[in-house]
Amino acid sequence: MQHVAMDAATSRLDIPPAYEVVVDRLRRTILLSIYRPGDKFPPERVHAEQLGVSRVTLREAIRVLEGEGLVETRRGATGGVTVLDRRVSVDALRRRLRDSLGELEGVSDFRLANERCAAERAATRITREQLEGLEASINAMRDCESVAEFRAADSSFHIGVAQAADCALLRRAVEDARIELFTYLDALDYELALPTTISAHRRILAALRTGDPKRAGRAMGRHLTTTWAEALAVIEEPAG
Amino acid sequence: MQHVAMDAATSRLDIPPAYEVVVDRLRRTILLSIYRPGDKFPPERVHAEQLGVSRVTLREAIRVLEGEGLVETRRGATGGVTVLDRRVSVDALRRRLRDSLGELEGVSDFRLANERCAAERAATRITREQLEGLEASINAMRDCESVAEFRAADSSFHIGVAQAADCALLRRAVEDARIELFTYLDALDYELALPTTISAHRRILAALRTGDPKRAGRAMGRHLTTTWAEALAVIEEPAG
DNA sequence: ATGGAATGGGCTAGACTTCGATCCATGCAA
DNA sequence: TTGCATGGATCGAAGTCTAGCCCATTCCAT
């Protein structure tokens, strides 16, 4: 039994305590811009109920997110848990990104493969309602000013396409790639290529409307290739 | 905040108890043919240590796998936990597969996208050692007689390629797709297209050796497309 | 036969986690 | 000032996981 993957059968397991599961989930929603800076979590009591854990456990999780600088809590009638703007030393971040460039490139390849596949499948499966959703997120992007707003609209579009592809594995893959790629990249607060992105999204939407998988896949492929080239430029641009 | 994915922020969490985590891991290794029918798990005490859980927890997990008919335990000096051959009513299974054909097709698309990407990346990254591993699994496939042996060699090859692609997300995706696709399909015990598969793997290996990503990707793409067509034929063939 | 060795099976005490419930502290708005 | 919705803190009960010990089964060498 000299398998490539043999270690997968015997290596130590990660058994996460409940609060860690909560942390992962909440962090994920923040990093995907489902919750955006300024947004507030539901009141503790409600939130705990929704997630199916006790207040104590939820609070433990929020402590962790606080420690990571992702959220802030305030007491009082108008208090609550607020998602923070993520700021990091830009130079340190750029260095860090450069160090892990090889890894990021893998994620980018992974993203391209899966989102192209998602677009192809979505072309023949997307509903009228879902098309409207994509259109809405394009419109939302038109007026946005911060990276956070941009990323929220962007996530809504790309995850919307993945959703329309009607395959759970694909959707999950698209989400995972987004988290890996943009969590650190976005903190760079680079100049947004808004018009480019919007017209790319418009082209993808148009292709989806024609119902032609190849065309939709090509449109998505071109968009992501361009995006990655831009990201590379931002990472490698001399510190300023 | 009318996001596509908003529910992801508020839906109930699944907090798995430790034994469930163990079950998932062990089931995964069985369904990927990392452990094959006839193989035995390490002795309880050792196994628990390796996985980082107590014997009690490991035993709970094994009870579940036993209930699923995946393993069998025997006491005594030569006893232990043995992986079973998975047998199901073939007709019931075929019906089940037909019902979920749409879903399976999605998995197949997902698989194609990710394994093609993996092959492309592997072409420029694979080490001499990894090439030898692939060759070994091709040789292992040559002499095999049961579906289980075949699938083990097949897994070894495909996961080996994914491993050589050097991207954790990709490897995970390839594994996930294999589990979804083959867990039920293999129970059909269909006539193996051994020669076809072996020569396809040889072509892929040759392409990887040239270091040409496009060629490797194409070779993998053709292989998977053929495989899926064959699987479809098996699923749709009239009950016998 | 018999005893040794290796296996899984069972049990228990204790540590740790999680929960629900209750009460406290804060800060805004009427 | 008062009302009240918010987060904060604490406690006991219940559940989960562990480590350690001994038992039962099986095979095998003696």
Side-chain angles (χ1 to χ4, degrees), chain B residues 57-185:
Chain B
T57 302
L58 173 57
R59 297 248 301 284
E60 248 183 303
I62 288 173
R63 285 302 100 77
V64 175
L65 296 176
E66 236 170 6
E68 294 176 355
L70 287 175
V71 302
E72 161 193 85
T73 64
R74 277 192 327 277
R75 294 210 266 185
T78 59
V81 179
T82 314
V83 177
L84 291 178
D85 227 334
R86 302 189 284 292
R87 317 201 163 285
V88 201
S89 152
V90 173
D91 280 353
L93 185 58
R94 207 193 301 272
R95 230 174 298 124
R96 184 165 167 187
L97 283 171
R98 278 182 195 158
D99 286 347
S100 58
L101 236 178
E103 205 173 316
L104 274 187
E105 200 203 352
V107 180
S108 174
D109 288 348
F110 178 76
R111 183 189 184 204
L112 178 59
N114 282 284
E115 293 221 28
R116 190 157 48 193
C117 179
E120 287 170 1
R121 285 178 58 84
T124 59
R125 290 172 175 80
I126 196 164
T127 67
R128 208 170 47 74
E129 202 175 30
Q130 289 171 325
L131 280 170
E132 280 164 17
L134 296 187
E135 197 159 356
S137 59
I138 291 179
N139 291 335
M141 184 175 289
R142 228 181 16 212
D143 324 307
C144 75
E145 294 180 323
S146 67
V147 171
E149 284 178 61
F150 167 76
R151 189 56 68 204
D154 191 53
S155 273
S156 182
F157 183 85
H158 285 278
I159 296 179
V161 173
Q163 178 79 8
D166 192 31
C167 167
L169 287 172
L170 262 179
R171 174 171 169 161
R172 175 77 192 200
V174 169
E175 288 186 1
D176 286 344
R178 290 188 72 76
I179 290 178
E180 297 289 326
L181 266 187
F182 297 125
T183 298
Y184 296 113
L185 205 51

Side-chain angles (χ1 to χ4, degrees), chain A residues 58-236:
Chain A
L58 174 56
R59 296 252 299 286
E60 248 183 302
I62 288 172
R63 285 301 99 77
V64 175
L65 295 176
E66 238 170 6
E68 293 175 355
L70 286 175
V71 302
E72 160 193 86
T73 63
R74 278 194 323 281
R75 292 213 266 186
T78 59
V81 180
T82 312
V83 177
L84 290 178
D85 228 332
R86 303 189 283 291
R87 318 201 162 284
V88 199
S89 151
V90 172
D91 280 351
L93 185 57
R94 209 191 300 271
R95 229 173 298 124
R96 183 165 168 187
L97 283 171
R98 276 182 197 159
D99 287 346
S100 57
L101 236 180
E103 205 172 317
L104 274 187
E105 200 202 352
V107 180
S108 173
D109 288 347
F110 178 76
R111 183 189 185 205
L112 178 58
N114 283 283
E115 294 223 25
R116 190 156 48 193
C117 179
E120 287 170 0
R121 285 178 57 84
T124 59
R125 288 171 176 80
I126 196 164
T127 66
R128 208 170 47 74
E129 202 175 29
Q130 288 170 326
L131 281 170
E132 280 164 17
L134 296 187
E135 197 159 356
S137 59
I138 291 180
N139 290 335
M141 184 176 288
R142 228 182 15 212
D143 325 307
C144 76
E145 294 180 325
S146 69
V147 171
E149 284 178 61
F150 167 78
R151 189 55 67 204
D154 191 53
S155 273
S156 181
F157 183 86
H158 285 278
I159 296 179
V161 173
Q163 177 78 10
D166 193 30
C167 168
L169 288 172
L170 264 177
R171 176 173 165 158
R172 176 76 191 201
V174 168
E175 287 186 3
D176 286 344
R178 292 188 71 76
I179 290 178
E180 296 290 326
L181 266 186
F182 296 124
T183 298
Y184 296 112
L185 205 52
D186 278 356
L188 281 181
D189 204 20
Y190 49 89
E191 279 302 306
L192 291 175
L194 253 193
T196 325
T197 303
I198 290 179
S199 51
H201 283 196
R202 284 220 179 94
R203 271 193 297 277
I204 294 168
L205 180 56
L208 289 173
R209 282 218 170 87
T210 68
D212 178 351
K214 283 185 189 164
R215 196 175 145 200
R218 272 201 307 271
M220 179 65 84
R222 270 198 296 273
H223 171 41
L224 298 192
T225 307
T226 310
T227 297
W228 176 238
E230 286 173 359
L232 265 188
V234 172
I235 295 173
E236 286 170 345

Side-chain angles (χ1 to χ4, degrees), chain B residues 17-18 45 52-57 75-78:
Chain B
R45 293 164 174 82
V53 297
S54 73
R55 282 181 69 206
V56 188
T57 302
R75 294 210 266 185
T78 59

